[in-house]
């Protein structure tokens, strides 16, 4: 994989410095920075991907109500320009992180071309993870609206503990990568307080606790959409990494 | 949901005591006990389901080698009779837990009929979670052989942290339910040591640490198939519950 990557980056970049710069900017999560990069590269490298965080017909009434609430207080990303107005910013979400980094359209054809992001791997809308993440201007807080589809079952009629952990990893990891991309999950500690019904819409709130050198600490809770019922509490630790960490396996 | 359940159990059972007895035996995980029950009920209630823990053509060389190793030391479940010979017992695995409990074929048509177990929700073999769990005769230890498909991606070319947590919840939860079913996950604490490559086969080992009243404590690690590389370490806590806990939502 490393060899193929090097070859591809060699095609895209004529100097070693440039290669190194580009490698460092390959992101592994859906971050503000990814969209910024997307806009900066030639269109041949970045055909318009489907953004899974936009409404689709499977979104129920509660999902749409919450989406409209946060979206009405949001602004689109401004590509590195100073953000103005709006308390929240919506994050786009794709079915592969690699594909949308610089040169990623080609990389994704070479490296595990069939691979798909775990939370976006099912075509049928509404059957698995439907979610959208917003973050505050100071990036201290994220909120995710999550509608749980019928393919996420654990206990009868309720969401699997692994699917809950998956959403926590996704939201907290996205949050950490806003501050320091790329990152890898080092620890997830999840306390399950009450089960989440299939088909329901819940809120996942993520708070940046602290940053220490390569470490980013995030805490998180899942509540009913009106905040009255606590479903899950969690903490997460992420480490910033170099791309080579992954390439060398 | 509770009303429908009560109606159904009313049809199946003529006395309140009988209803209570049957409710208590609805299991939420793939356990030895489930198969035992399956054999005890009329065939109209239990058509032969697909057992996902049996080999299919997507299983790679390493997955097959390990399966054959553990299977050669295994015995089939004996339906409550005393187990003889064989260090390991293979656990069957279905795409819904509810469906295979007593009366569950009907229940599954009433309650969230489209629901599927999160780890068995994709039809295409080899693309997501391929796994089989074996447990020792004294039920102190489980081992799971896990082949990670291309739809489980997190970091490029590697398994999503949420998919790793899902397998840990699945294996440790299955283990806890061998001792005390039904159970619900109360805590998962996962330390990610090194990423798992998509397509690779790894071993997940689960050890029963202790039981205290309703609590079952299990620890777990994921290693390369030869045991030389540690990928993940985790602890898990499960609480035994009554069925009514879920039905009342």
């Amino acid at each position: 994989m490393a060899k193929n990557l090097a070859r591809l980056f060699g095609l895209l970049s004529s100097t070693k410095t440039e290669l190194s710069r580009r490698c460092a900017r390959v992101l592994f999560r859906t971050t503000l920075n990814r969209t910024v990069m997307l806009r900066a590269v030639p269109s041949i490298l970045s055909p318009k991907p489907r953004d899974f965080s936009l409404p689709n017909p499977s979104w129920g009434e509660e999902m749409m109500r919450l989406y409209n609430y946060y979206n009405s207080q949001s602004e689109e990303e401004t590509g590195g320009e100073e953000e103005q107005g709006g308390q929240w910013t919506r994050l786009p979400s794709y079915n592969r992180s690699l594909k949308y980094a610089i040169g990623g359209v080609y990389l994704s054809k070479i490296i595990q071309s069939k691979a798909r992001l775990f939370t976006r791997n099912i075509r049928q809308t509404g059957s698995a993870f439907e979610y959208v993440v917003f973050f505050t201007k100071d990036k201290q807080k994220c909120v995710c609206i999550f509608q749980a589809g019928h393919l996420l079952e654990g206990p009868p009629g309720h969401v699997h503990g692994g699917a809950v952990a998956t959403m926590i990893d996704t939201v907290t990891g996205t949050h950490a990568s806003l501050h320091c991309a790329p990152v890898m999950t080092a620890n997830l500690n999840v306390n399950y307080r009450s089960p989440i019904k299939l088909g329901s819409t819940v809120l996942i709130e993520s708070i940046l606790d602290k940053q220490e050198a390569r470490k980013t600490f995030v805490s998180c809770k899942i509540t009913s959409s009106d905040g009255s019922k606590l479903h899950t509490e969690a903490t997460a630790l992420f480490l910033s990494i170099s791309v080579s960490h992954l390439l060398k396996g």
Side-chain angles (χ1 to χ4, degrees), chain A residues 38-210:
Chain A
L38 196 62
R39 290 176 184 168
V41 298
S43 61
I44 191 171
L45 295 183
S46 55
K48 191 78 176 172
R50 176 187 164 196
D51 182 350
F52 286 76
S53 73
L54 292 172
N56 69 59
S58 79
W59 288 20
E61 194 175 326
E62 193 62 3
M63 183 85 179
M64 281 307 304
R65 187 185 69 76
L66 289 164
Y67 174 80
N68 288 331
Y69 171 77
Y70 286 101
N71 205 45
S72 68
Q73 299 181 49
S74 295
E75 60 187 1
E76 286 301 309
E77 296 162 358
T78 53
E81 296 160 26
E82 195 176 354
E83 294 159 7
Q84 293 184 344
Q87 186 185 355
W88 297 94
T89 302
R90 182 183 62 81
L91 278 167
S93 176
Y94 307 108
N95 68 2
R96 241 194 137 183
S97 53
L98 180 65
K99 200 170 177 180
Y100 305 103
I102 284 184
V105 170
Y106 292 107
L107 285 178
S108 67
K109 289 177 182 169
I110 295 172
I111 305 167
Q112 297 266 6
S113 63
K114 292 188 299 179
R116 292 292 174 270
L117 188 66
F118 181 44
T119 55
R120 301 298 194 189
N121 67 7
I122 291 180
R123 284 174 189 268
Q124 189 193 355
T125 56
S127 62
F129 299 99
E130 292 290 340
Y131 64 95
V132 50
V133 177
F134 295 85
F135 65 91
T136 53
K137 198 182 286 185
D138 59 6
K139 299 176 185 172
Q140 295 297 300
K141 187 174 175 182
C142 282
V143 65
C144 171
I145 312 163
F146 167 44
Q147 179 182 287
H150 58 271
L151 297 184
L152 305 183
E153 191 178 54
H158 294 76
V159 181
H160 194 289
V164 173
T166 297
M167 282 309 301
I168 288 168
D169 185 39
T170 296
V171 177
T172 55
T174 297
H175 194 171
S177 68
L178 287 175
H179 293 269
C180 187
V183 298
M184 292 277 284
T185 317
N187 174 264
L188 272 188
N189 192 347
V190 185
N191 287 304
Y192 298 85
R193 303 301 186 194
S194 65
I196 299 170
K197 282 188 178 176
L198 291 182
S200 66
T201 297
V202 295
L203 279 179
I204 308 176
E205 290 181 334
S206 165
I207 304 284
L208 180 74
D209 288 334
K210 59 178 175 177

